[in-house]
Structure formats: C-alpha cells, structure tokens
C-alpha cells in the first residue's frame, strides 16, 4: 500500500532541541542519493541523470567516496548491499567480502603473533596479517551486472570518480581530520605511503595530510579505476594490480597469493538470502497513531546485521511481557529507555560474538537466532533494575567509524542500501605500488582461539561489521525506507536507534538521524580480551541521564566534539506516495560532510 506524506508528518515528532539540526528533509520524485560527501553524491546524481538506476549510481558513489574519503572506504576493502527491485518487489543481498589467504594456518599465524600454546590474542589492525582479499572491486562489477539498468557501461559509471582523481578535488573538513589522524600510520605501513599524502617539500618525507579545502589528486587510483572499467574483474585480480598487492603483502611477511586473487575473480561476489524481522515499532514506544507492522531487512552473516534484528526482537518481547513500559515521546533517551535498548543490544552482541562467521565454513543458525522462541528466552536475561554481566562468549562491541554507508533510489522505484569499508582508518594503511589505495584490515576480526566458529582458516571470511538495512511494508511488499548507519560495531546500534527514532517516536528522516545516540563497548576484545563495559553517550543526552544509568551499574562517559565520530554517520531515504507519485524524503547525518541530493 505504501506510505503517504500524512503518515510521516501528521503526528508531531520529537524535536531534538539539545542537538538541533540546521538541515531540512530533502524531497524528490525522481530519485535520491544520500551519502557522507557532496562530491560523491553528485557523482551518483550524474549517473541517475544519464539513465542509470539506483545500483549503477551506487557504484559511482562508492568509487567517488574512495577518492574523497579514502580513510573510510575503498577498492582495497569490502562491500555489502541490499537491492530492492521495484518490478518484483523483492529484496536481494550481495556479499562482496574477501577471504583470508589460502596458504595460511592457524598455527603459523599464532606463531607470527608470538602466542604460546593456550595463550589468547588477536591480529593487530596494522599487521599485514589483517589483510584479506579485497572484495569491493568484484562487488562493484557484480552490483552493476546483477542489479544495474544495463543502460550504462562500467566505464561511464566510474568516470566521475576517475575525473576527481585526475583533476583533483577540494578536501572536506572531516575527511581532512581523519587523514591527519592516520598520517603517521600511513608513513609507517609501506614504502608507497606518498601515494596517499599530499606532496609538500617542507613536510616530513616531502608529504603530509591535506588540509580542508586543499586540492588533492590521486592519478594512481584513477588508473586503477580505468583498468577495472575496461578489463573488469580480471583487470584487478590478475595482472599488474594483483601482482603489486601480492608483492607488498609478501614483502611485509603476509601470505596473500596470486591464486587467492584469481580465486576471488572467478568466484565473484556471493548472492545470499537477506534475513528479516517483522515488528510494529509503536508496540515498543511512541504513539500508535499511523503505526503499523514493518519488515526490517538485514544482510546475513558473516555480517552483523542479525544483531539489530535480535535486539529489536528482544525489545518486542520485553514490551509484550511488560518487562519494559510502553515508552512515551517524553521518555525518549530517558534512563529506562536507554537501559532497555542498551541491554537488548548487549544480549544480541553476546550471541553474535560466537555465531557470526563465514556460513560457507561454519554452520550459522541465523533463523534460529531471530526466532520468537529463542528471543523470548534471551529476553529473560534482562533486569530492569541493573546492568547485566552478560558475556556468554565475549562481546564484539568495538567501534570504528572508518566505513561509508549510502542510500540511493531512482525514478523507477528501485532502492539500494550500500556499504563499503576498509574497516580501520585507511585499513592497514599498506599501499600496493602505483595503485593509489590501501588494503583493508578485516582479518583483525578473526579469532585465534582453536575451536571458535570465527577462528581464522584458509579462504575463510571473518566476522564483518558492515551492514546495509532496508524496510518494506509487509502488506504489499512496497519499499518503505532505505537506511543505514556506518561505524564498525556501532552499526547495529545505530540501526536500532534510528529506526525507533523514526518509526516509534515519529522523527523525520533528518531528525531521526540528528538525535543524540549511545554506543556500547568500544573496546576491542580480539586484542585486549577485556570487554569495554562503557556506555558512551553523545552530547545532548543530559548529565542527569548519565547519572541515572550509573546508578543502574553502567559505566558512562559523555563524548563531545570530534569524539562524536564514534556514533557513526547514517543516511535515510523514506518512501511515500502523494497524488499517485512516489516521493523520496531523505536525511543525511550531520556528523558527516555529506548531504542528500535529489535526482533532477
């Protein structure tokens, strides 16, 4: 049936005064691009204008973000996407994540990490052993081939990004700050570090991070894109680029081989069945007016989208059994509300730490984990009066914001939820010579404990943090919302908070993103093995709320300024029908440099 404008705006939503936004919701009937970088949004907009569809535009945005936000994303990383086909009303998922080297062994990695028998430890994010086969290049090609319009070539789709690299572009403020934070790791990672820095004869080693507004060029990355555009997957996974990837990894003691890259080229990205949960957010909080059941779609493991579905299912059960009250608008971000959402996420993360891994190698009971019966059992662990000590297998709650998420819709009614990432800032910072991009550090999420489902193994994919999301209307399978929140282990937390802000508390696509967020457990259990129990609150959530959470046993810290990067950067495109036309209403996170751009 689809939503109408009245459904979105007739009920007064929360006014998030402590965190006021200067952004308005952007509306369009011809399509929308919402991402963290205006130049990248413009690239997607250009592809829509040229007749491409949402999938074509998404690949253009991904490539342009690689140019303009190289700390967060790139062709040396991985991608996942969900695609809504307006003709079939079906949601499809594509897993574009890479695998560990085929010739490694757990014993050898443990030896390289200096771990004695019985000793626990992990792979550091700057280690060459954190490199997995880059999946993004194949993922871009497969996205266009599987979901694209067929009206544009890959060369046309990558052209805007190629021009940014060759002609140069002015660097945005947040991108510059991320660059500055990673300058020394870039210098230390490989001999080819100058490819990611701006030439300056007065700077150390003749290069430095670019300042806001300075022009940065990356002709080597532009050439990498040209090779992918003209030669397809073989141009990236075989030949010069592949040889340089393998050379720099092996020179640093890694195990990635040409056979690993060839294997990925030949197998490509994996089409998988998305997972979903039906829920009425108004049963948990907010007004029931204009409420209704929705179906939330997430990418299945080895991604962590299942955490968001589990947490929402637990909240639904807690509300059904009256363990939590029906939260009113005035109780948004109150102590009881935050405690309930925090604890539901902790329970979900505890399961994900054990179960989220490569389903091609280990059995992952995705449907069982989101079944009502199982979630009802897990909900019994919730105590409304105190913070839990739940660490079944250890929480994976470690946060990085070095990912890009974006959403695209087109005039035909298609939508794509797309996420592309290097994981940590500039990934490992290791640059293959003459290629213009760093390699990711996803293997740092593998366990090195024998018997763990997520233990590192040859050609296995690790626990993945990047997760796209989408919402449909179950009554007719129409598209409701394309949305997501980037930021490592913040992502499922952001999905839950933004969804409830929008659909339970009646926020607009923009105000739902603007609302102050929390982030739990930002420590890294893979390396420290001490789970960080801190609840990080964003400025705008008052000290009285922080104190109330402390009294329940939570460790609380309020983050301000640039520290707010921990809370991720989201995008929302909501769909509704007006006068027989589809209207796309979009918001873009004020924690990023970007915006929502309508197609024209």
């Amino acid at each position: 049936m689809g939503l109408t404008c009245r459904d979105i705006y007739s009920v007064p939503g929360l006014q998030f005064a402590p965190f006021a936004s200067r952004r308005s919701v952007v509306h369009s009937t011809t399509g929308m691009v919402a991402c963290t970088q205006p130049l990248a949004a413009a690239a997607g907009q250009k592809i829509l204008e040229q007749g491409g569809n949402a999938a074509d535009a998404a690949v253009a945005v991904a490539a342009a973000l690689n140019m303009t936000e190289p700390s967060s994303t790139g062709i040396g990383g991985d991608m996942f996407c969900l695609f809504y086909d307006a003709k079939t009303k079906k949601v499809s998922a594509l897993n574009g994540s890479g695998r560990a080297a085929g010739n490694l062994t757990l014993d050898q990695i443990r030896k390289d990490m200096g771990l004695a028998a019985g000793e626990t430890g992990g792979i550091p994010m700057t280690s060459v052993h954190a490199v997995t086969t880059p999946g993004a290049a194949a993922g871009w090609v497969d996205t266009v081939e599987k979901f694209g319009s067929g009206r544009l070539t890959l060369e046309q789709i990558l052209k805007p990004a190629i021009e940014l690299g060759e002609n140069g572009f002015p660097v945005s403020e947040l991108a510059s700050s991320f660059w500055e934070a990673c300058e020394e790791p870039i210098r230390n990672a490989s001999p080819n570090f100058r490819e990611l820095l701006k030439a300056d004869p007065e700077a150390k080693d003749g290069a430095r991070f670019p300042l806001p507004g300075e022009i940065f060029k990356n002709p080597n990355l532009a050439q990498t894109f040209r090779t992918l555009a003209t030669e397809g997957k073989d141009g990236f996974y075989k030949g010069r680029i592949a040889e340089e990837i393998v050379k720099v990894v092996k020179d640093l003691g890694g195990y990635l081989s040409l056979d690993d890259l060839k294997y990925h080229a030949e197998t490509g990205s994996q089409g998988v069945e998305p997972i979903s949960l039906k829920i009425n957010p108004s049963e948990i909080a907010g007004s029931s007016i204009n409420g209704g059941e929705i179906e939330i779609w997430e990418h299945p493991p080895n991604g962590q989208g299942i955490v968001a579905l589990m947490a929402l299912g637990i909240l639904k059960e807690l509300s059904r059994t009256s363990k939590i009250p029906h939260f009113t608008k005035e109780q948004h971000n109150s102590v009881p509300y935050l405690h309930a959402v925090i604890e539901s996420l902790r329970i979900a993360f505890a399961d994900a730490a054990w179960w989220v891994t490569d389903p091609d190698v280990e059995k992952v009971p995705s449907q069982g984990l989101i079944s009502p019966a199982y979630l009802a059992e897990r909900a019994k662990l919730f105590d409304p009066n105190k913070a839990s000590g739940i660490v079944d297998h250890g929480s994976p709650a470690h946060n990085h914001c070095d990912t890009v998420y974006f959403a695209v819709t087109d005039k035909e009614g298609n939508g794509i939820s797309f996420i592309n990432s290097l994981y940590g800032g500039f990934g490992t910072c290791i640059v293959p010579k003459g290629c213009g991009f760093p390699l990711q550090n996803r293997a740092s999420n593998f366990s090195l404990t024998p018997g763990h489902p997520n233990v590192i193994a040859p050609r296995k994919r690790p626990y993945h943090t990047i997760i796209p999301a989408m919402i449909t209307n179950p009554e007719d399978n129409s598209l409701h919302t394309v949305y997501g929140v980037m930021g490592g282990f913040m992502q499922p937390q952001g999905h839950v908070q933004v969804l409830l802000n929008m659909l339970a508390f009646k926020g607009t696509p923009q105000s739902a993103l603007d609302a102050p967020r929390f982030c739990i457990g930002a420590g890294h259990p893979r390396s420290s093995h001490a789970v960080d129990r801190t609840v990080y609150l964003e400025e705008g959530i008052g000290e009285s709320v922080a104190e109330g959470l402390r009294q329940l046993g939570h460790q609380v810290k309020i983050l301000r300024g640039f520290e707010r990067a921990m809370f991720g950067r989201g995008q929302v495109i909501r769909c509704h029908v007006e006068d027989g036309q589809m209207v796309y209403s979009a918001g873009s996170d004020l924690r990023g440099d970007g915006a929502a751009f309508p197609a024209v």
Side-chain angles (χ1 to χ4, degrees), residues 439-468:
L439 297 170
Q440 65 184 352
N441 47 14
R442 281 291 164 187
S444 63
N445 265 356
F446 275 122
S447 170
L448 298 185
T449 302
H452 193 293
N454 190 42
V455 68
I456 194 168
R459 290 197 176 152
K460 185 176 181 179
R461 294 173 298 185
Y463 180 117
H464 239 287
T465 57
I466 60 176
I467 51 171

CSV table of all heavy atoms in Angstrom, one decimal, residues 439-468:
chain,number,residue,atom,x,y,z
A,439,LEU,N,45.1,-1.3,1.6
A,439,LEU,CA,44.5,-2.6,1.8
A,439,LEU,C,43.8,-2.7,3.2
A,439,LEU,O,44.2,-2.1,4.2
A,439,LEU,CB,45.5,-3.7,1.7
A,439,LEU,CG,46.2,-3.9,0.4
A,439,LEU,CD1,47.4,-4.8,0.5
A,439,LEU,CD2,45.2,-4.3,-0.7
A,440,GLN,N,42.7,-3.3,3.2
A,440,GLN,CA,41.8,-3.4,4.4
A,440,GLN,C,42.5,-4.2,5.5
A,440,GLN,O,43.4,-4.9,5.3
A,440,GLN,CB,40.5,-4.0,4.1
A,440,GLN,CG,40.5,-5.4,3.6
A,440,GLN,CD,39.2,-6.0,3.2
A,440,GLN,OE1,38.1,-5.3,3.4
A,440,GLN,NE2,39.1,-7.2,2.6
A,441,ASN,N,41.9,-4.2,6.7
A,441,ASN,CA,42.4,-5.0,7.9
A,441,ASN,C,41.3,-5.8,8.5
A,441,ASN,O,41.2,-6.0,9.7
A,441,ASN,CB,43.0,-4.1,8.9
A,441,ASN,CG,42.2,-2.8,9.3
A,441,ASN,OD1,41.0,-2.8,8.9
A,441,ASN,ND2,42.8,-1.9,9.9
A,442,ARG,N,40.4,-6.4,7.7
A,442,ARG,CA,39.3,-7.2,8.2
A,442,ARG,C,39.7,-8.4,9.0
A,442,ARG,O,39.0,-8.9,9.8
A,442,ARG,CB,38.4,-7.6,7.0
A,442,ARG,CG,37.5,-6.5,6.6
A,442,ARG,CD,36.4,-6.2,7.6
A,442,ARG,NE,35.8,-4.9,7.3
A,442,ARG,CZ,34.9,-4.3,8.1
A,442,ARG,NH1,34.6,-4.9,9.2
A,442,ARG,NH2,34.4,-3.1,7.8
A,443,ALA,N,40.8,-9.0,8.6
A,443,ALA,CA,41.2,-10.2,9.3
A,443,ALA,C,41.5,-10.0,10.8
A,443,ALA,O,41.6,-11.0,11.6
A,443,ALA,CB,42.5,-10.9,8.6
A,444,SER,N,41.6,-8.8,11.2
A,444,SER,CA,41.8,-8.5,12.7
A,444,SER,C,40.6,-8.9,13.5
A,444,SER,O,40.6,-9.0,14.7
A,444,SER,CB,42.1,-7.0,12.9
A,444,SER,OG,41.0,-6.2,12.5
A,445,ASN,N,39.4,-9.2,12.8
A,445,ASN,CA,38.2,-9.6,13.5
A,445,ASN,C,38.2,-11.2,13.6
A,445,ASN,O,37.2,-11.7,14.2
A,445,ASN,CB,37.0,-9.1,12.8
A,445,ASN,CG,36.5,-7.8,13.4
A,445,ASN,OD1,37.0,-7.4,14.4
A,445,ASN,ND2,35.4,-7.3,12.8
A,446,PHE,N,39.1,-11.9,13.0
A,446,PHE,CA,39.2,-13.3,13.2
A,446,PHE,C,39.6,-13.6,14.7
A,446,PHE,O,40.4,-12.9,15.3
A,446,PHE,CB,40.2,-14.0,12.3
A,446,PHE,CG,39.7,-14.3,10.9
A,446,PHE,CD1,40.4,-13.8,9.8
A,446,PHE,CD2,38.6,-15.2,10.7
A,446,PHE,CE1,39.9,-14.1,8.5
A,446,PHE,CE2,38.2,-15.5,9.5
A,446,PHE,CZ,38.9,-14.9,8.4
A,447,SER,N,39.1,-14.7,15.2
A,447,SER,CA,39.6,-15.3,16.5
A,447,SER,C,40.8,-16.1,16.2
A,447,SER,O,41.0,-16.7,15.1
A,447,SER,CB,38.5,-16.2,17.1
A,447,SER,OG,39.0,-16.9,18.2
A,448,LEU,N,41.7,-16.2,17.1
A,448,LEU,CA,42.9,-17.0,17.1
A,448,LEU,C,42.8,-18.2,18.1
A,448,LEU,O,43.8,-18.8,18.4
A,448,LEU,CB,44.2,-16.2,17.3
A,448,LEU,CG,44.5,-15.2,16.2
A,448,LEU,CD1,45.9,-14.5,16.5
A,448,LEU,CD2,44.4,-15.7,14.8
A,449,THR,N,41.6,-18.4,18.6
A,449,THR,CA,41.3,-19.5,19.6
A,449,THR,C,40.9,-20.7,18.9
A,449,THR,O,39.8,-20.7,18.2
A,449,THR,CB,40.3,-19.0,20.6
A,449,THR,OG1,40.7,-17.8,21.2
A,449,THR,CG2,40.0,-20.1,21.6
A,450,PRO,N,41.6,-21.8,19.0
A,450,PRO,CA,41.2,-23.1,18.3
A,450,PRO,C,39.8,-23.5,18.8
A,450,PRO,O,39.4,-23.4,19.9
A,450,PRO,CB,42.2,-24.1,18.8
A,450,PRO,CG,43.4,-23.3,19.1
A,450,PRO,CD,42.9,-22.0,19.7
A,451,GLY,N,38.9,-23.9,17.8
A,451,GLY,CA,37.6,-24.3,18.1
A,451,GLY,C,36.5,-23.2,18.1
A,451,GLY,O,35.3,-23.5,18.1
A,452,HIS,N,36.9,-22.0,18.0
A,452,HIS,CA,36.0,-20.9,17.9
A,452,HIS,C,35.4,-20.9,16.5
A,452,HIS,O,36.1,-21.0,15.5
A,452,HIS,CB,36.7,-19.5,18.2
A,452,HIS,CG,35.7,-18.4,18.4
A,452,HIS,ND1,34.9,-17.9,17.4
A,452,HIS,CD2,35.5,-17.7,19.5
A,452,HIS,CE1,34.2,-16.9,17.9
A,452,HIS,NE2,34.5,-16.7,19.2
A,453,PRO,N,34.1,-20.7,16.3
A,453,PRO,CA,33.5,-20.7,15.0
A,453,PRO,C,34.1,-19.6,14.0
A,453,PRO,O,34.2,-19.8,12.8
A,453,PRO,CB,32.0,-20.3,15.2
A,453,PRO,CG,31.8,-20.8,16.6
A,453,PRO,CD,33.0,-20.6,17.3
A,454,ASN,N,34.6,-18.5,14.6
A,454,ASN,CA,35.2,-17.4,13.8
A,454,ASN,C,36.7,-17.5,13.8
A,454,ASN,O,37.4,-16.5,13.5
A,454,ASN,CB,34.7,-16.1,14.3
A,454,ASN,CG,35.1,-14.9,13.4
A,454,ASN,OD1,34.9,-15.0,12.2
A,454,ASN,ND2,35.5,-13.8,14.0
A,455,VAL,N,37.3,-18.7,14.1
A,455,VAL,CA,38.7,-18.8,14.1
A,455,VAL,C,39.3,-18.7,12.6
A,455,VAL,O,38.6,-19.1,11.7
A,455,VAL,CB,39.2,-20.2,14.7
A,455,VAL,CG1,38.8,-21.3,13.8
A,455,VAL,CG2,40.7,-20.2,14.9
A,456,ILE,N,40.4,-18.1,12.5
A,456,ILE,CA,41.0,-17.8,11.1
A,456,ILE,C,41.3,-19.2,10.5
A,456,ILE,O,41.7,-20.2,11.1
A,456,ILE,CB,42.3,-17.0,11.2
A,456,ILE,CG1,42.6,-16.5,9.8
A,456,ILE,CG2,43.4,-17.7,11.9
A,456,ILE,CD1,43.7,-15.4,9.8
A,457,ALA,N,41.0,-19.3,9.2
A,457,ALA,CA,41.3,-20.5,8.4
A,457,ALA,C,41.5,-20.1,7.0
A,457,ALA,O,41.0,-19.0,6.5
A,457,ALA,CB,40.1,-21.5,8.6
A,458,PRO,N,42.1,-21.0,6.2
A,458,PRO,CA,42.3,-20.7,4.7
A,458,PRO,C,41.0,-20.3,4.0
A,458,PRO,O,40.0,-21.1,4.1
A,458,PRO,CB,43.0,-22.0,4.2
A,458,PRO,CG,43.6,-22.6,5.4
A,458,PRO,CD,42.7,-22.3,6.5
A,459,ARG,N,41.0,-19.2,3.3
A,459,ARG,CA,39.9,-18.8,2.4
A,459,ARG,C,38.6,-18.7,3.2
A,459,ARG,O,37.6,-19.0,2.6
A,459,ARG,CB,39.8,-19.6,1.2
A,459,ARG,CG,41.0,-19.4,0.2
A,459,ARG,CD,40.8,-19.8,-1.1
A,459,ARG,NE,42.0,-19.4,-1.9
A,459,ARG,CZ,42.4,-20.1,-3.0
A,459,ARG,NH1,41.8,-21.2,-3.4
A,459,ARG,NH2,43.5,-19.7,-3.7
A,460,LYS,N,38.7,-18.3,4.4
A,460,LYS,CA,37.5,-18.0,5.2
A,460,LYS,C,37.3,-16.5,5.4
A,460,LYS,O,38.2,-15.7,5.4
A,460,LYS,CB,37.7,-18.6,6.6
A,460,LYS,CG,36.5,-18.6,7.6
A,460,LYS,CD,36.8,-19.3,8.9
A,460,LYS,CE,35.7,-19.3,9.8
A,460,LYS,NZ,36.0,-20.1,11.1
A,461,ARG,N,36.0,-16.2,5.4
A,461,ARG,CA,35.6,-14.8,5.6
A,461,ARG,C,35.4,-14.5,7.1
A,461,ARG,O,34.8,-15.3,7.8
A,461,ARG,CB,34.4,-14.4,4.8
A,461,ARG,CG,34.5,-14.6,3.3
A,461,ARG,CD,33.3,-14.4,2.5
A,461,ARG,NE,32.3,-15.5,2.9
A,461,ARG,CZ,31.1,-15.6,2.3
A,461,ARG,NH1,30.7,-14.8,1.3
A,461,ARG,NH2,30.3,-16.6,2.6
A,462,PRO,N,35.9,-13.3,7.6
A,462,PRO,CA,35.8,-13.0,9.0
A,462,PRO,C,34.4,-12.4,9.4
A,462,PRO,O,33.6,-12.1,8.5
A,462,PRO,CB,36.9,-12.0,9.2
A,462,PRO,CG,37.0,-11.3,7.9
A,462,PRO,CD,36.7,-12.3,6.9
A,463,TYR,N,34.2,-12.3,10.7
A,463,TYR,CA,33.1,-11.5,11.2
A,463,TYR,C,33.2,-10.1,10.6
A,463,TYR,O,34.3,-9.5,10.6
A,463,TYR,CB,33.3,-11.4,12.8
A,463,TYR,CG,32.2,-10.6,13.5
A,463,TYR,CD1,31.4,-11.3,14.5
A,463,TYR,CD2,32.1,-9.3,13.3
A,463,TYR,CE1,30.5,-10.5,15.2
A,463,TYR,CE2,31.1,-8.5,14.0
A,463,TYR,CZ,30.3,-9.2,15.0
A,463,TYR,OH,29.4,-8.5,15.7
A,464,HIS,N,32.1,-9.7,10.1
A,464,HIS,CA,32.1,-8.4,9.4
A,464,HIS,C,31.2,-7.4,10.0
A,464,HIS,O,30.1,-7.8,10.4
A,464,HIS,CB,31.6,-8.6,7.9
A,464,HIS,CG,32.7,-8.2,6.9
A,464,HIS,ND1,33.0,-6.9,6.7
A,464,HIS,CD2,33.5,-8.9,6.1
A,464,HIS,CE1,33.9,-6.8,5.7
A,464,HIS,NE2,34.2,-8.0,5.4
A,465,THR,N,31.7,-6.2,10.2
A,465,THR,CA,30.8,-5.2,10.9
A,465,THR,C,29.9,-4.5,9.9
A,465,THR,O,28.9,-3.9,10.3
A,465,THR,CB,31.7,-4.1,11.6
A,465,THR,OG1,32.6,-3.5,10.6
A,465,THR,CG2,32.5,-4.8,12.7
A,466,ILE,N,30.2,-4.4,8.6
A,466,ILE,CA,29.4,-3.5,7.7
A,466,ILE,C,28.1,-4.2,7.4
A,466,ILE,O,28.0,-5.3,7.0
A,466,ILE,CB,30.2,-3.2,6.4
A,466,ILE,CG1,30.6,-4.4,5.6
A,466,ILE,CG2,31.4,-2.3,6.8
A,466,ILE,CD1,31.3,-4.0,4.3
A,467,ILE,N,27.0,-3.4,7.5
A,467,ILE,CA,25.7,-3.9,7.3
A,467,ILE,C,24.8,-2.9,6.7
A,467,ILE,O,24.5,-1.8,7.3
A,467,ILE,CB,25.1,-4.4,8.7
A,467,ILE,CG1,25.2,-3.3,9.8
A,467,ILE,CG2,25.7,-5.7,9.1
A,467,ILE,CD1,24.4,-3.7,11.1
A,468,PRO,N,24.2,-3.1,5.5
A,468,PRO,CA,23.2,-2.3,5.0
A,468,PRO,C,21.8,-2.7,5.5
A,468,PRO,O,21.6,-3.8,5.9
A,468,PRO,CB,23.3,-2.6,3.5
A,468,PRO,CG,23.7,-4.0,3.4
A,468,PRO,CD,24.6,-4.2,4.6
